[in-house]
Amino acid sequence: MGTIGTESAFAVTMRARALAAEGRSIVYLQIGEPDFDTPAHVRAAAKRALDAGETHYAPFAGVPALREAIAADVTARKGFAADPSQVFVTVGGKGVMLYAILGLVDPGDEVLVPDPGYPIYESLTRFVGATPVSVPIRMANDFRLDVDELASLVTPRTRLLVLNSPANPTGGVLTRGDVEEIAELAIRHDLWVLADEIYGRILYDGAEHVSIASLPGMAERTIVLDGFSKTFAMTGWRLGYAVVPPSLRETFGELIINTISCAPTFAQLGAIEALTGPQTDVEAMVREFRVRRDLVVDGLNAIPGIECRRPVGAFYAFPSVAGTGLSGIELAHRLLDEAGVCVLAGSGFGPHGDDHIRISYATSRENLVEALARIRAFVAGIVRG
Ligand SMILES: Cc1ncc(COP(=O)(O)O)c(C=O)c1O
């Protein structure tokens, strides 16, 4: 356990809730989940399943009709032909990280992880006795990785490359050109790729989501991670999925049997409706996120000392706060304690996030306006000194 890391969002949320319980007014911008409820037709499908007695174990790989619906959706949206036998339904997309890393990475191997990036990639890599190698992600490059730099980090020990586009915590999106060059590198060095595409449908301004598995020679070396939490506002349902090459079917099956047996049956039956039913709620959520993105980015950029890019994916802003004279972690602490605004320090996502804070704009416009006013007043106070 000495090697395992964590996700700061959970601890920070507990601290903020404790302050709120003491009567403090807190605006929560740390939570990586949509504030919307799951669409009503999806909830109704799960309720019907419960009432129809769907309260038993499912097959370990998932309910067959859901695996078929996922395979069809993946084939249509991600641009590569997925067979239902390649689909494994897991408890959250997080489950896919666990199985990919447990299944592929040995002690002494190296895993290329985005920095800043979702902290669990690094944590699980250390947990299995392997070494995470940071791939710097910089604001100056619009939060896209630099492929030449990536190439310089590959060694004979590199086993797995983790990609996350659109990205948490930056909102960065890889272009088709980036993905093509990364694919070429992965093939040349015989790397496995874990492609975390959980934000793949949360895109703005016509940005394109390119699944690396759709490029020639990549489906056989890529584990695609996706799920229902973000797209369909289903975080509490705990449903994600992997699309794996045939060579990893046995590995994923064994790991699922050894850990969860299966994901919850009635939740899986609801998820079929999420994929095959009307998509109007998803579209409306993304439209609303886009409005909030502009509200947040424009509001942050109007604060002296803060500089924020306009992300084209996910629902996070990742401004640099270097101009305030505080590090991201100092500012995050002080915003919570002194201004009642809960954000995450960029350093929780890797050392390249030190000068940043992460703001989730998956909350109401009113909350965002209030938070921006508080941040502005607080920063004005420290800059005045
Ligand atoms: C990049 C990324 N991948 C995966 C997940 C896991 O999501 P879940 O386990 O809810 O499907 C998250 C959640 O915050 C995330 O940000």
Side-chain angles (χ1 to χ4, degrees):
M1 291 305 291
T3 56
I4 207 161
T6 191
E7 205 182 329
S8 60
F10 288 95
V12 172
T13 302
M14 273 175 58
R15 204 172 118 57
R17 294 224 165 103
L19 290 174
E22 290 170 10
R24 294 272 311 277
S25 154
I26 308 287
V27 188
Y28 298 95
L29 303 182
Q30 85 289 9
I31 302 179
E33 68 172 335
D35 55 322
F36 304 105
D37 291 331
T38 304
H41 64 105
V42 180
R43 301 199 308 263
K47 287 184 215 167
R48 279 197 303 276
L50 277 174
D51 289 341
E54 297 284 1
T55 56
H56 301 273
Y57 288 125
F60 65 86
V63 168
L66 177 59
R67 295 174 81 199
E68 277 166 31
I70 292 170
D73 191 70
V74 165
T75 304
R77 287 184 199 281
K78 297 192 190 286
F80 67 98
D83 186 80
S85 67
Q86 293 171 257
V87 174
F88 289 83
V89 181
T90 55
V91 172
K94 230 178 201 176
V96 181
M97 289 173 208
L98 178 67
Y99 304 138
I101 292 172
L102 276 182
L104 286 173
V105 181
D106 287 325
D109 285 348
E110 291 175 3
V111 177
L112 292 161
V113 297
D115 172 7
Y118 192 60
I120 302 304
Y121 314 131
E122 183 194 335
S123 169
L124 288 174
T125 298
R126 288 195 200 282
F127 189 58
V128 300
T131 306
V133 175
S134 283
V135 180
I137 309 285
R138 298 191 180 85
M139 187 167 80
N141 198 28
D142 279 328
F143 296 121
R144 292 157 41 222
L145 60 78
D146 175 326
V147 184
D148 291 333
E149 190 170 21
L150 175 68
S152 75
L153 297 169
V154 176
T155 77
R157 290 176 168 245
T158 311
R159 175 80 167 153
L160 175 69
L161 162 64
V162 181
L163 296 179
N164 175 216
S165 175
N168 176 7
T170 62
V173 175
L174 296 170
T175 64
R176 178 170 289 278
D178 295 334
V179 178
E180 283 171 355
E181 288 180 40
I182 296 166
E184 199 254 321
L185 183 91
I187 291 170
R188 187 157 24 101
H189 293 282
D190 193 20
L191 305 181
W192 286 100
V193 175
L194 171 60
D196 184 340
E197 303 183 351
I198 199 120
Y199 298 101
R201 286 181 67 183
I202 305 178
L203 287 169
Y204 317 109
D205 308 340
E208 181 191 18
H209 172 59
V210 184
S211 176
I212 196 163
S214 70
L215 299 184
M218 286 309 296
E220 65 236 47
R221 59 176 67 251
T222 304
I223 297 120
V224 173
L225 177 164
D226 206 334
F228 297 86
S229 289
K230 318 287 175 173
T231 312
F232 300 100
M234 288 171 65
T235 45
W237 294 54
R238 308 310 303 128
L239 276 186
Y241 62 84
V243 186
V244 307
S247 63
L248 288 182
R249 279 196 294 235
E250 208 178 308
T251 300
F252 266 70
E254 295 295 353
L255 288 171
I256 287 175
I257 290 168
N258 274 270
T259 50
I260 57 167
S261 297
C262 63
T265 307
F266 63 91
Q268 294 192 52
L269 293 166
I272 297 173
E273 174 63 22
L275 286 178
T276 59
Q279 301 296 298
T280 39
D281 289 302
V282 176
E283 288 151 17
M285 285 190 269
V286 174
R287 273 199 305 277
E288 176 62 20
F289 287 145
R290 203 196 76 92
V291 173
R292 296 172 182 182
R293 175 201 64 170
D294 290 340
L295 181 80
V296 164
V297 171
D298 294 340
L300 288 170
N301 280 325
I303 300 174
I306 297 189
E307 182 189 351
C308 188
R309 294 288 161 118
R310 199 170 300 271
V312 289
F315 39 64
Y316 306 109
F318 200 65
S320 165
V321 299
T324 64
L326 298 182
S327 69
I329 198 160
E330 287 165 337
L331 183 63
H333 278 144
R334 292 189 58 185
L335 280 175
L336 180 57
D337 290 340
E338 299 173 39
V341 180
C342 187
V343 302
L344 296 183
S347 54
F349 299 87
H352 281 86
D354 280 356
D355 283 340
H356 296 257
I357 57 172
R358 190 195 76 170
I359 288 179
S360 163
Y361 50 85
T363 187
S364 68
R365 295 186 206 183
E366 296 72 40
N367 280 345
L368 293 171
V369 168
E370 173 64 20
L372 286 164
R374 293 186 188 191
I375 297 172
R376 171 187 265 285
F378 177 78
V379 171
I382 53 168
V383 170
R384 267 199 311 273

